[in-house]
Amino acid sequence: MSAREAFGPNLRRLRIQRGISLEQIASETKVSVDLLNALERNDFARWPGGIFARSHIREYARMIGADPDAVVNEFCRWFEKGDRRAFRVVSEQAQIVGHDLEWRDDGMHAGLDGDRRAGSTSAPAASPVSEVWRIKLLLRLRRAIGKA
């Protein structure tokens, strides 16, 4: 069993060892038992994405006595639902304010089969100019969203 395949079953094993039921976790975290069962099976088809998935994972880990940061990091490493890359969010915000987005996330082309945080070795290094441009773009987006 690969590390990815073992993610949910390892959490389940720890939960059972600590004598914590899914109903207890669902009651305190307000996450349905069905979603928690799916987590333990690595079935994230009905799970929310991004920050919501990470917050559910963090609370589950806290409830079973695991290190929340380590569990969230492992989740983000192996599953697309935990994606921390900014491209999707930035492109949706740019679309809302009617901005033609030219920026691309450096991690966009990284393969999802392995460790997603490793990045792509073929991606060129970002120049300091492009970093400044990205920061300015994000600041403009924040200002535009604040005015909306």
Side-chain angles (χ1 to χ4, degrees), residues 4 76-81 83 85 107-117 119:
R4 178 187 168 129
C76 292
R77 180 180 308 127
W78 296 119
F79 300 99
E80 186 176 345
K81 290 284 185 177
D83 197 350
R85 292 175 292 188
M108 247 174 64
H109 303 293
L112 296 178
D113 295 336
D115 184 346
R116 293 177 45 254
R117 295 181 303 170

Side-chain angles (χ1 to χ4, degrees), residues 31-32 34-40 42-50 52-58 60 75 81:
V31 177
S32 75
D34 289 340
L35 285 181
L36 296 174
N37 269 320
L39 161 65
E40 293 180 348
N42 290 337
D43 177 12
F44 297 103
R46 293 185 36 222
W47 267 66
F52 299 106
R54 292 191 304 272
S55 70
H56 292 341
I57 297 291
R58 182 176 307 282
Y60 178 95
F75 173 70
K81 290 284 185 177

